[in-house]
Amino acid sequence: MALEKLRASLAESPVVRFGDYQYFVHPITDGIPLGRPDVLAEVVREIVRVGDWDCDKITTAESMGFPLAAAVSLTVGKPYVFLRKRQYGLPGEVSVAQVTGYSKANLFVNNVHAGDRVVFVDDVISTGGTLRAIVQAFHTIGARLVDVIIVFEKTREKERFERELGIRIKTLMKVDVVDGKVVERG
């Protein structure tokens, strides 16, 4: 069965609250508890399998997409770009507001240019705030988002996000938090 190690690792994921938001803690989404190379390798293999790698760059947002994008970059041989929460003031830097279920920040985009064909890889989609910011930033720059691949789908609004943003979102696993536990949904 695909993603059996990832699926098994969910049983060890604690759930914490940020206000009304139930947040599950997992090595892919937080780097804690201890990240296992076999789980990461399995996730990267699946991202590579489902992705469209006819692109110029692999992008991700700070911070938990970093290990995913770097590992995928090594596998498919495409450069990666990290969208950061820190402003560097480099020429061409674009800032965009990111609002999630538990935080607000600005993301700063460097090294993505008009005409670039980019793939966005990330750990989880929940409120859609990060993805909304990314799509807005790439639109402003004139880059073309050719694929979006996210490990965990913790939303029931993926189809609405796709319509609203005009993109297709690929996710590897749908999850919910029920009674303080992370469960996979079909």
Side-chain angles (χ1 to χ4, degrees), residues 37 48 55-56 80 87 89 99 111 123 130 137 151:
V48 168
C55 65
D56 301 306
Y80 60 85
Q87 184 174 12
V99 180
N111 294 312
D123 60 323
T130 299
V151 177

Side-chain angles (χ1 to χ4, degrees), residues 4-15 24-27 32-36 38-39 180-183:
E4 65 187 42
K5 293 174 184 185
L6 179 63
R7 189 169 283 108
S9 71
L10 287 174
E12 304 162 9
S13 294
V15 174
F24 69 95
V25 182
H26 185 274
I32 53 176
L34 189 63
R36 293 186 6 227
D38 60 330
V39 175
K181 300 230 183 280
V182 184
V183 295

Side-chain angles (χ1 to χ4, degrees), residues 145-162:
L145 185 58
V146 298
D147 209 355
V148 174
I149 308 147
I150 300 174
V151 177
F152 292 114
E153 180 182 329
K154 187 190 176 227
T155 182
R156 298 207 178 240
E157 300 186 64
K158 183 179 94 163
E159 291 77 19
R160 181 177 67 82
F161 296 152
E162 288 175 326

Side-chain angles (χ1 to χ4, degrees), residues 2-6 37-46:
L3 298 172
E4 65 187 42
K5 293 174 184 185
L6 179 63
D38 60 330
V39 175
L40 179 59
E42 179 184 71
V43 167
V44 168
R45 278 191 303 274
E46 188 65 8

Side-chain angles (χ1 to χ4, degrees), residues 25-102:
V25 182
H26 185 274
I28 296 294
T29 60
D30 300 281
I32 53 176
L34 189 63
R36 293 186 6 227
D38 60 330
V39 175
L40 179 59
E42 179 184 71
V43 167
V44 168
R45 278 191 303 274
E46 188 65 8
I47 290 171
V48 168
R49 187 186 72 76
V50 303
D52 175 355
W53 306 111
D54 183 18
C55 65
D56 301 306
K57 298 170 183 168
I58 299 164
T59 62
T60 193
E62 189 167 343
S63 68
M64 289 315 300
F66 289 4
L68 297 170
V72 169
S73 169
L74 285 170
T75 305
V76 301
K78 300 287 181 167
Y80 60 85
V81 176
F82 295 160
L83 285 59
R84 301 295 309 267
K85 293 178 184 171
R86 176 182 306 137
Q87 184 174 12
Y88 294 89
L90 297 171
E93 184 172 73
V94 172
S95 172
V96 65
Q98 172 195 31
V99 180
T100 70
Y102 54 90

